[in-house]
Structure formats: C-alpha cells, structure tokens
Amino acid sequence: MKRLLFAIFLLALPLAAQPTAITNVRLFDGMKVIPHATVIIDGTRITAAGAKVTVPKGAKVIDGNGKTLLPGLIDSHTHVFPGSLERALRFGVTTELDMFTSLRTLDPLRAEQARGAVTNRADIYSAGTLVTVAGGHGSEYFPIPTFKSGDDPQAFIDARIAEGSDYIKLIVETGEAYGMKLPTLSKSDLTSLIAAAHKRGKMAVVHISTLAGARDAIDAGADALVHIFADKTPDAGFGAFVAAHHAFVVPTLTVNESTTGVGSGTSLTTDAHLAPYLNADEMTNLKTSFPKAKSLSLDNAYAAVRQLKAAGVPILAGTDSPNPGTAHGASMHRELELLVKSGLAPIEALTAATSLPAKEFKLNDRGRIAAGLRADLLLVDGDPTTDILATRNIVTIWKNGAMLDRQPEPKRVAAAPVAAVVPAIGDGMISNFDSGDTRSAIGSGWQISTDSIAGGVSTATMDVVDGGANGTPKSLHIHADTKPGFMFPWAGALLMLGATPMQPVDLSSKSGLLFFAKGDTDIRVMLFAASSGRIPRQTTVHAGADWTAITLPWLAFNTDGKDVQMLVFCGPDKGAVDFAIDELRSK
C-alpha cells in the first residue's frame, strides 16, 4: 500500500522540463564570437554556454552547424501599442525599451511581467509619459501632463516616477529641422528636470533632432540622446564632447532615413526571409515616410555615428517604431544594416542590439548568452558577425526558454497602391453646411466618430443648425461626450476627403486648413494621411464663445498635404462639450 501511495505521489509531481542543447553552433554571446559552442537551456534560463559544455543526458539536441546563436535582440527606442510586442517577438526582438506610450497600454503589460515569465511577446521597459511643454512634440498624440517654466521640476519628475516610469524621457524639439516652429523645454528647465531625475536615481534620456539640440541636451546632463541629428555635419569635437560626458546614443537611423522622404523599410517588404512574416499594416507602413525635409541629409547622421564610434561612445540600436517607414521587430534588421553602413562592424552592430542596451539600461539578466541569464535567444542561418543581413534568416526564437511557434502570415493578395487624387475645389471651400445637410464639396460627407468602434464608451451627436460664421445661414453643431474606457478616448465628427473611404487627396497646392469654430472649448483636430500609416496627427485649438477663425498649416500635422485622408474634430479627452464648426476650407 505504501508503495502504491508513493507511486501515486510521484505521478502527481510536475514533470521536469526537458533541457535543450544547441550544439556545434557559432555563438555570439553578446560581446564575442565562439566558433564552435554548445548552449544548454533548462526552463527559463541558460545553464551553460561555451566551447567545452557537456550535453545533459536526455536533453533535446538541436544541431547548430552552419548557424549562429545570438542573444534576443533589444530595441532601444520604440513606442508600444496593443499587439506590437507580439509582433516584435516574431522577428527576434525579445525586449523593447519604450520611449513614450499610454499608461493604459503600459500598466497591464508591466503587471503581466511582474507575475512571471512572459513567453508570447517581447518584454517592455518604458519611459511612460514623456516630458514636454504644452503644444510641444509628444503632446500631439493624446493629452498628457506638460511642464511649464515655473513648475516644480522635482514634483513633475516624481509624478512620472509614481506612474511607473523606468527612466525619464525629455523633449528638445523646436521643429526647425522639419520647417516647423514648436515650443520646447528651455535649457535651464531641461537641466533642472534632468537633475531631478538623477536625484531619484533615474536615467534621463533626451529626444533631439538638431546638432544644437544634441549639444544642449548633453551639456544639461543627459545620460543619452535617443536620436541622432541629420540637419548638419557634426563639428569636429562632437564625438569627444559626448564621450567626455559619459553619455550613450541611440541613433534611430531608420527614422532619420524616413525624414529624408525615403521609406526606410521598403527593402524589408521584399526580403524573402522577412516578408512572409509581415502583416498587411506592417507592409504598408514600412513603405511610407515622413514628408521630405529639405534641410536633412542621412549622410550627416552617418558622419555623427562615425564620430561617436571613434570617440568610444556607446551606440545602441533602436528603431522608433511604429513611425512611418518602420515596424516593430522587423525594422531592427534594417537598423542593424544602417549601423553597419554608417561605419560599425557587424559585431559592433550586434553588440548595439544585445549586451550594450542591457548594460546601459541595467537589465542584468539579458543581452548576453551566459550561465544563469534568461534564455532569450535567436538562432539564424549564416554568420551575421560578418554579414549583418544574416540576422533576417531566422531559424528559431526562444523567449524565457519557450520556443516560439513562428508561422508565416496568411497569403495576401497584393492591393494596388491608391494614388492621391487632386480634388476640384475652386476657392478651397470643403464644407459650409448651407445646404442644410452634412454633405461636403469633396469627400463622402460628415459622420459621427467615437472610440466605440474600438470598444470605448464615448458618444457624440451632430446636427446642422441655424446660424453660421460670417453671417452664413447654417453650421454643424457637435455634442461630444468623451468617457474613460479606451486607451485614447475620443468623440466628435469626421470627414473623409476622398470619394471612397480613406482615399488620399492631394491638397498640397494649399498651405493648410481654415475653419471657424465656437463653443468656448478646446477642440482636438486629428488628421490622417496615407504617409503616416494608421497613426493620426493631432493638434488642439481653442474655440471662443463667438465664432473664431482658426488656421492650421499642414506643418501643424507634420505633413505636406499631398495625401490627406480624413479629418476628425473631437472634444477634449474627457467630459461633455458642445461646439460648432463652419466654413471649412483649404487655404
């Protein structure tokens, strides 16, 4: 009887995971290459790695002959949205360092990681809410707290830390590199905010787009630049200046390329190793770019990276996904290619995507392949330590020791690109409501738009009412009731400008939009453009109690007006408001 009970007890015990041995593999351990190595995975951890490792009895053996084993890739500059971390893992990115996302997105991901090993997506560490000023870069996506001169820097930083920011990201962006004029943090405020972050033991990283901004940020005490500039050739002492301040740099060359009008990810969409795993949205966004900024040159960015390398500044790989020309995970392979093109050796580029970000962001359990570290691994055919493009030829991905079941996307029927049409709008009038209905001179007419299409609970109504701007007979009245429940809540009315839904129209012969509004409230105006993918550009204007003329240049939306698809007029991000709009025209 005792034997029977003991046998039942043994059967009730959980079975030990079978170790996995990857043998005879070229090993890049995050810092160096071991030509013929064996790596043992047991559970979520690496238990042994090196040239003289014994394979445990009963282990599952994977022959690594002709292949290279790498640490899981770390993308040091992304912006996470729901589902993006799952997409990243499909391309070998096992950790993302997010530089600004909604707390509604971040909080459940952080809680999931706290509960234990996550195997179906990349991990996330995040800056949470970035630090910018009202109307400054970063405030155009959704409402966030902003800093103004005279505010208490320590209190502002402490509020970000209380929200859970792993590090602090600050914005230095005047818009001048893109032909815009944006308010931004003053250098004295930047210095105070960085000091406040350091007082709490938090790293401070800074967004820049110009050489002048880069120098100001480093001089203010920044731990890192999370972009490189392309507006000017770096002065002779720039690299040494950054090195002397012990800062590191995440160049994000994919986005630098995109700002020159080139779809940086276009080549990924035809790469035989990557294309089958890209979904339709990724294929589209990888081919897009920002409007070409005439003052920018990718050669300037390359020259800056070469200087930084020569000065010994740590250079980290980051993509700034999902901006135009990028996609989570896939764009890391383009970033590695561009880092090599800018002067890094393939091994240096691989280090920039593995052990260096782990070191700089103090992620001590990953980024290398060594006993005791997490089994976040990437096995590829070929030798990326000599040919960086070999990172794309993915054989197997492990996340926390679990092998990813990586299947190609379903077969797609390629859709022909939709060309932007030039509408005939004469004097520029788009919509004036004087006919008594919601039709417009171009497009498919006005519709209610709320977050209910994405599971939110906001509501809106609209009516054509008597009394318009400038003595005209009619206008559009909108009641918007914006409620919590969706990560980016909105409620208002939209106008698609093409004859068919989301068809782009070319309004670039005009400088922007003019409309009249009233209601004594803020109005969020969102613009969708084909070149911006699925991410709207947003600005906030104020309608007075009486009719107010509002002019919005295309540059307010970081576009040139060549491929505008849709306009959305919303209330603030919470609460019920009423407002009216009239006389919408391109100007």
Side-chain angles (χ1 to χ4, degrees), residues 79 98-101 103 126-149 151-163 165-174 183-198 202-208 217 226:
H79 299 280
D98 172 81
M99 291 296 163
F100 172 41
T101 192
L103 296 177
S126 180
T129 302
L130 52 69
V131 183
T132 191
V133 299
H137 177 56
S139 67
E140 68 268 38
Y141 299 105
F142 51 89
I144 56 172
T146 54
F147 184 85
K148 67 179 183 295
S149 289
D151 286 348
D152 182 346
Q154 195 65 63
F156 195 88
I157 293 299
D158 287 350
R160 308 288 74 77
I161 295 171
E163 291 169 346
S165 294
D166 296 301
Y167 37 88
I168 303 298
K169 181 189 177 186
L170 306 102
I171 299 295
V172 175
E173 180 58 79
T174 63
T184 194
L185 293 168
S186 68
K187 187 175 179 183
S188 61
D189 284 339
L190 179 69
T191 303
S192 298
L193 288 159
I194 290 173
H198 289 166
K202 293 292 183 179
M203 188 162 57
V205 304
V206 181
H207 162 110
I208 57 91
V226 290

Side-chain angles (χ1 to χ4, degrees), residues 531-549:
S531 58
S532 299
R534 301 297 178 92
I535 303 174
R537 301 295 176 182
Q538 175 178 286
T539 190
T540 299
V541 299
H542 186 78
D546 294 318
W547 287 110
T548 307

Side-chain angles (χ1 to χ4, degrees), residues 36-251:
H36 301 283
T38 294
V39 175
I40 310 298
I41 305 170
D42 197 347
T44 64
R45 297 282 161 173
I46 300 161
T47 57
K52 298 179 180 179
V53 171
T54 302
V55 176
K57 186 177 181 180
K60 175 185 176 182
V61 176
I62 296 174
D63 184 5
N65 186 40
K67 301 175 177 63
T68 303
L69 188 67
L70 312 165
L73 304 179
I74 300 174
D75 190 332
S76 293
H77 190 141
T78 71
H79 299 280
V80 168
F81 59 87
S84 61
L85 295 173
E86 287 83 358
R87 301 302 305 173
L89 185 58
R90 288 170 60 79
F91 298 93
V93 172
T94 55
T95 301
E96 288 198 353
L97 300 171
D98 172 81
M99 291 296 163
F100 172 41
T101 192
S102 162
L103 296 177
R104 293 187 181 99
T105 296
L106 178 59
D107 288 346
L109 296 171
R110 185 187 286 122
E112 184 182 34
Q113 285 170 204
R115 289 193 294 269
V118 178
T119 60
N120 66 334
R121 63 165 175 84
D123 281 349
I124 179 175
Y125 294 87
S126 180
T129 302
L130 52 69
V131 183
T132 191
V133 299
H137 177 56
S139 67
E140 68 268 38
Y141 299 105
F142 51 89
I144 56 172
T146 54
F147 184 85
K148 67 179 183 295
S149 289
D151 286 348
D152 182 346
Q154 195 65 63
F156 195 88
I157 293 299
D158 287 350
R160 308 288 74 77
I161 295 171
E163 291 169 346
S165 294
D166 296 301
Y167 37 88
I168 303 298
K169 181 189 177 186
L170 306 102
I171 299 295
V172 175
E173 180 58 79
T174 63
E176 63 189 274
Y178 312 108
M180 303 168 66
K181 188 174 182 180
L182 295 174
T184 194
L185 293 168
S186 68
K187 187 175 179 183
S188 61
D189 284 339
L190 179 69
T191 303
S192 298
L193 288 159
I194 290 173
H198 289 166
K199 185 174 181 179
R200 299 293 188 244
K202 293 292 183 179
M203 188 162 57
V205 304
V206 181
H207 162 110
I208 57 91
S209 63
T210 64
L211 171 58
R215 278 192 163 271
D216 279 351
I218 295 297
D219 195 47
D223 297 288
L225 306 175
V226 290
H227 292 292
I228 200 59
F229 50 85
D231 65 319
K232 294 179 180 178
T233 302
D235 57 83
F238 174 72
F241 171 71
V242 177
H245 285 77
H246 308 289
F248 64 89
V249 176
V250 187

Side-chain angles (χ1 to χ4, degrees), residues 203-388:
M203 188 162 57
V205 304
V206 181
H207 162 110
I208 57 91
S209 63
T210 64
L211 171 58
R215 278 192 163 271
D216 279 351
I218 295 297
D219 195 47
D223 297 288
L225 306 175
V226 290
H227 292 292
I228 200 59
F229 50 85
D231 65 319
K232 294 179 180 178
T233 302
D235 57 83
F238 174 72
F241 171 71
V242 177
H245 285 77
H246 308 289
F248 64 89
V249 176
V250 187
T252 64
L253 294 171
T254 49
V255 165
N256 284 112
E257 186 171 38
S258 180
T259 61
T260 66
V262 176
S264 187
T266 301
S267 62
L268 304 180
T269 67
T270 57
D271 188 292
H273 299 307
L274 298 178
Y277 299 92
L278 294 167
N279 65 28
D281 281 350
E282 291 161 345
M283 293 285 277
T284 298
N285 202 54
L286 285 165
K287 297 174 186 176
T288 64
S289 71
F290 287 100
K292 184 177 181 179
K294 295 179 181 179
S295 64
L296 301 181
S297 168
L298 192 59
D299 287 339
N300 291 338
Y302 286 159
V305 172
R306 286 194 294 272
Q307 259 204 37
L308 293 168
K309 174 188 171 179
V313 173
I315 297 169
L316 279 57
T319 65
D320 205 5
S321 297
N323 272 292
T326 68
H328 281 266
S331 286
M332 177 56 81
H333 301 279
R334 176 64 173 167
E335 186 70 20
L336 293 173
E337 180 185 5
L338 294 180
L339 286 172
V340 170
K341 190 172 181 179
S342 70
L344 272 65
I347 286 180
E348 292 172 322
L350 294 173
T351 302
T354 55
S355 61
L356 263 183
K359 177 184 177 183
E360 297 297 338
F361 283 88
K362 299 178 175 57
L363 306 177
N364 299 322
D365 62 347
R366 69 196 72 201
R368 294 177 294 119
I369 299 177
L373 300 186
R374 292 160 52 105
D376 290 355
L377 302 169
L378 173 61
L379 183 66
V380 301
D381 259 326
D383 183 5
T385 67
T386 57
D387 175 11
I388 198 63

